[in-house]
Amino acid sequence: MRLELGYIKVSDVQFGAITEVKNGVLFVNKQEMITTLEDERFASLEIDLAKPGDETRIIPVKDVIEPRVKVQGSGGIFPGFVSKVETVGNGVTHVLKGAAVVTTGKIVGFQEGIIDMTGPGAEYTPFSKTNNVVVIAEPIEGLLQHEHEAALRIMGLKAATYLAEAGRSVTPDEVVTYDCPPLPQALQQYPNLPKVAYVYMLQSQGLLHDTYVYGIDAKRTLPTFIYPTEVMDGAIISGNCVSACDKNTTYHHLNSPIIHDLLERHGKEYNFIGVVVTNENVTLADKERSSSFTAKLVEWLGVDAAIISEEGFGNPDADLMMNCTKLEKKGIKTVLVTDEYAGQDGASQSLADADPLANAVITAGNANEVIVLPTMKKVIGHPEVADVIAGGWNGSLAKDGTITAEIQVITGATNELGFSKLTAKGV
Amino acid sequence: MRYITIVSNNPTVELTSTDIHVTDYGVVPVLERVRDLVHLGHHLLTHPFAGSVKPNENPFRSVVVTKGDLGVDYQSVQIAEGCLEVARRMVKERPYRDFPTQAIKDLQLIDKSLLDSGLESLRMAGKL
C-alpha cells in the first residue's frame, strides 16, 4: 500500500463567488455549499468562518474534519459514508492543510466542546490554528439525539468533501509518500531494529459513543488489521459525543500523530509493522473478547513492542489495562498513551484502573486543570451550553460571557493520540 | 428467563421485580450497592463506569450484574471496589451541579443508551 499525500497549504479562508483554492486562500461559495448540504432533518443551516486570531468562540463543537480528496487510487474519501465501501489508502490524496470543517449543534449539551480562536483557551486546541468553515445546523423539532448526531456527522463529512474538491486540480505545496508493504516484506525489513505495532483503541460503547470503520460501528467488529494509509483516507470516522478534551475527532484520526511518527521513524529507530484497530465495550465479556483478540493479532504480527492509545476515561481504562496486561504476558512490551483525571490539584490517581504491568505510560495531560476563558466578541453556536458541559460547574458561565472550567471542555485539549502542545518538563 | 440484575437509579430504565431500584441521588449509592452484590457472589456483567462519562458528571447510573450467588469473582470485586473509590473521590472533589431539566433528560438518555448497548450484547450471549 503506497499513498502520496499532497498538502495544499491554506493560510486563509474567505467567502467568494466560486469555491476554489487560490494562492493559499480557500474561497467558499456559501450558497452553493448550503445547497449541497441541505438535509430535511435540519430546520436551518448556516455557514460561518472562524480564523486563527479571531475573537471567536465556537460552542458546542461536535466534530472537526479535514478536507481531503482522492485524486488517484481505489475508492474515495470517507468510505462507507461519502464514498462506496472500497479499500482506500493507495494512490494520491490531496489535503487542504490549514483548513477544517467544524460542526456545531446541541445534541447532548454536556458532551460537546469549545474552540476559542484566540486567548488562553486557543493554546489548548489545535483547531485555533486552522481556518475553520463552521457548519451550524439546527435540527427540526422532535429529531431524536441519535438521529441528530448521525445527520450532523454525515453533513460534516459532506462539507469537508465539498471543500476538498477545490483542491483536486491544485498542485500541492508538499508531497509526502508513505509506503506500507505487505506483512512478509515488512517483517524482513530492518532486521536489526525492534519490530513495533500500534493498537488503536476506538470509543464504541453505544449510542452517541461510537466510532466507525469503513462505515461500520466499531463495536460490531472484532479487532482487525488496518494499513496506516487507510486511516489517512478517512477509513475511521468519529461519531461520538464524549468529553471534548479526549475525543478523537475525525481530524485527529486523519492526522494521527502516533501513526505519522511511527512512519517517520520507521527504518531509523524501529520497524513499524502494522496497526490493529480495536473497540471499547460496555460489557466485561466484550472487553475480554476484544482484548484477547487484540493480543492474539499483535502476537501474530511477531513484534517486540506495541504502542496502545486509549480514547476516553473511566470505563475504557479497563480495556486499556486488559490490552496492556495481555500483551505484556505474551512478552510484548507496551507503551500506553492516555490522559489523566487526577483532580484539579493533580494529586489523585489518574486512571480508574491500573496494573503493575502498565509500567510505561505517556500522559496527554490532566483534564481537571482549571482555565478561565475570557469573553469573545463573537460566539458561534449556543454559549449557554457552557453551564452544562462536562468540565464546567454551576456558574461556569459568568454574566459577561467568561467561562471558568476544567480544560476538559476544550476540544482536543488532552487528546490521547498526542495531538496537542501540552508537554512536561523536569524541574 | 433473565439471568441478570440491573442496579439503577435512572427513572427512565424499566426495571423488573428482580432488579434493584436505587432511590438515592448520584453514582456512589449505585456503586455501593453493586459493590455489596459482588461480595455476595454476583458477577459484574457491565463495567460500573459508563462510556467516557465521569462519575461526577452524570448522577444517573445503571449497572448489570448476574442474578444470584455464583461464588465470589475476584475480578468483579476488584473492579467494583476500584470504581467506587474513584467515584467517591471525584464526587467529593466536584459535587454534582444543579442541572436544568433538558440536561437531566440528556444525562438519563446517555445512561440508558449505554445500558441498552450492554443489554443488546448480553441478549446475544443468551443472558436475557
Side-chain angles (χ1 to χ4, degrees):
Chain A
M1 200 71 92
R2 179 188 168 94
L3 181 69
E4 276 183 27
L5 282 188
Y7 293 114
I8 299 161
K9 289 183 182 159
V10 173
S11 53
D12 191 14
V13 60
Q14 297 175 20
F15 288 121
I18 302 170
T19 297
E20 60 182 342
V21 181
K22 232 176 173 177
N23 300 322
V25 181
L26 171 61
F27 292 95
V28 181
N29 178 329
K30 187 175 176 178
Q31 195 47 53
E32 184 181 77
M33 185 169 176
I34 288 174
T35 306
T36 305
L37 298 182
E38 269 173 347
D39 183 318
E40 62 189 16
R41 290 168 289 187
F42 292 99
S44 70
L45 177 58
E46 188 52 53
I47 307 288
D48 208 336
L49 305 176
K51 308 182 203 181
D54 284 356
E55 283 196 53
T56 300
R57 170 167 299 146
I58 314 170
I59 176 175
V61 172
K62 160 75 172 77
D63 197 11
V64 185
I65 308 120
E66 185 168 56
R68 294 186 173 208
V69 59
K70 276 215 80 64
V71 178
Q72 280 175 32
S74 64
I77 213 78
F78 306 131
F81 288 107
V82 173
S83 306
K84 287 184 178 172
V85 188
E86 194 174 339
T87 302
V88 289
N90 63 81
V92 179
T93 299
H94 283 181
V95 182
L96 300 191
K97 184 53 73 186
V101 168
V102 176
T103 51
T104 175
K106 213 163 52 169
I107 299 172
V108 275
F110 71 102
Q111 295 266 267
E112 276 94 31
I114 298 174
I115 294 174
D116 277 0
M117 300 306 292
T118 191
E123 297 299 314
Y124 286 87
T125 177
F127 309 118
S128 62
K129 303 290 183 289
T130 47
N131 292 281
N132 299 323
V133 178
V134 187
V135 176
I136 310 148
E138 298 298 337
I140 53 170
E141 208 170 311
L143 191 71
L144 297 174
Q145 280 100 330
H146 69 278
E147 295 167 337
H148 184 184
E149 186 283 319
L152 193 55
R153 175 183 357 118
I154 290 161
M155 185 174 278
L157 299 175
K158 282 184 177 169
T161 306
Y162 166 79
L163 294 175
E165 276 298 325
R168 182 181 286 277
S169 306
V170 176
T171 305
D173 299 292
E174 184 192 0
V175 176
V176 181
T177 304
Y178 296 105
D179 255 319
C180 300
L183 189 57
Q185 284 168 253
L187 288 170
Q188 284 175 12
Q189 286 182 325
Y190 314 111
N192 298 322
L193 293 178
K195 292 191 277 296
V196 176
Y198 171 37
V199 176
Y200 198 165
M201 292 172 58
L202 307 175
Q203 181 73 249
S204 61
Q205 291 158 319
L207 201 66
L208 305 171
H209 273 74
D210 289 322
T211 304
Y212 297 84
V213 182
Y214 279 94
I216 189 172
D217 177 353
K219 75 170 164 299
R220 299 185 189 281
T221 68
L222 284 169
T224 190
F225 297 123
I226 195 165
Y227 279 104
T229 53
E230 293 177 83
V231 182
M232 297 174 192
D233 270 349
I236 300 178
I237 297 299
S238 169
N240 57 55
C241 301
V242 300
S243 286
C245 65
D246 54 16
K247 163 165 107 170
N248 294 334
T249 67
T250 300
Y251 189 105
H252 287 110
H253 289 302
L254 290 166
N255 288 284
S256 167
I258 294 179
I259 285 178
H260 281 82
D261 286 0
L262 278 165
L263 288 168
E264 195 181 312
R265 295 175 196 182
H266 170 63
K268 298 171 192 161
E269 295 174 36
Y270 35 67
N271 184 2
F272 176 31
I273 299 294
V275 181
V276 173
V277 281
T278 184
N279 46 24
E280 297 174 354
N281 297 289
V282 174
T283 70
L284 292 168
D286 290 335
K287 287 179 189 300
E288 290 289 0
R289 184 187 309 108
S290 286
S291 55
S292 294
F293 257 83
T294 296
K296 181 180 69 184
L297 293 181
V298 173
E299 182 184 39
W300 199 340
L301 288 175
V303 296
D304 305 297
I307 294 173
I308 309 173
S309 68
E310 184 187 11
E311 183 174 9
F313 164 87
N315 177 321
D317 295 351
D319 301 87
L320 180 70
M321 289 304 149
M322 284 183 187
N323 285 329
C324 166
T325 54
K326 288 180 184 180
L327 282 169
E328 289 278 346
K329 284 175 184 169
K330 287 179 181 293
I332 299 164
K333 297 281 180 203
T334 60
V335 175
L336 315 184
V337 189
T338 180
D339 65 347
E340 302 178 61
Y341 285 76
Q344 294 184 354
D345 62 359
S348 303
Q349 184 180 318
S350 302
L351 299 176
D353 200 359
D355 192 282
L357 290 171
N359 54 16
V361 180
I362 296 170
T363 176
N366 178 15
N368 295 132
E369 277 185 36
V370 175
I371 189 167
V372 178
L373 303 173
T375 314
M376 294 282 148
K377 278 185 186 159
K378 179 178 172 183
V379 178
I380 300 174
H382 298 272
E384 72 278 9
V385 171
D387 252 356
V388 294
I389 209 162
W393 49 80
N394 281 339
S396 267
L397 178 65
K399 280 185 181 157
D400 68 351
T402 303
I403 297 170
T404 305
E406 296 176 352
I407 60 169
Q408 190 184 163
V409 301
I410 300 173
T411 299
T414 59
N415 176 262
E416 292 164 291
L417 301 178
F419 200 116
S420 81
K421 291 194 295 184
L422 285 182
T423 187
K425 288 178 183 166
V427 289
Chain B
M1 177 72 181
R2 274 160 62 102
Y3 299 93
I4 62 164
T5 295
I6 300 172
V7 184
S8 176
N9 66 351
N10 183 346
T12 65
V13 172
E14 268 183 52
L15 297 176
T16 67
S17 59
T18 55
D19 295 327
I20 295 170
H21 172 53
V22 178
T23 52
D24 295 326
Y25 186 71
V27 164
V28 169
V30 175
L31 297 197
E32 283 174 344
R33 199 62 189 266
V34 169
R35 186 269 319 267
D36 293 349
L37 290 171
V38 299
H39 280 282
L40 291 170
H42 295 253
H43 296 189
L44 276 178
L45 290 172
T46 64
H47 195 276
F49 283 161
S52 190
V53 183
K54 286 67 190 177
N56 58 351
E57 284 167 12
N58 189 347
F60 302 101
R61 190 68 197 107
S62 306
V63 181
V64 187
V65 298
T66 55
K67 198 164 79 175
D69 179 3
L70 300 174
V72 173
D73 171 46
Y74 289 98
Q75 187 191 30
S76 294
V77 171
Q78 192 185 359
I79 292 171
E81 291 281 9
C83 289
L84 178 58
E85 190 183 325
V86 171
R88 278 179 173 154
R89 188 260 297 171
M90 292 184 87
V91 171
K92 187 179 170 192
E93 188 168 72
R94 212 186 68 212
Y96 299 109
R97 62 187 109 176
D98 303 323
F99 295 104
T101 312
Q102 184 53 49
I104 292 277
K105 285 183 184 168
D106 285 350
L107 294 161
Q108 290 171 344
L109 173 85
I110 287 289
D111 174 64
K112 185 171 185 306
S113 64
L114 292 167
L115 171 68
D116 287 343
S117 173
L119 291 177
E120 191 186 333
S121 178
L122 293 169
R123 192 171 290 117
M124 284 191 283
K127 302 276 186 193
L128 72 161

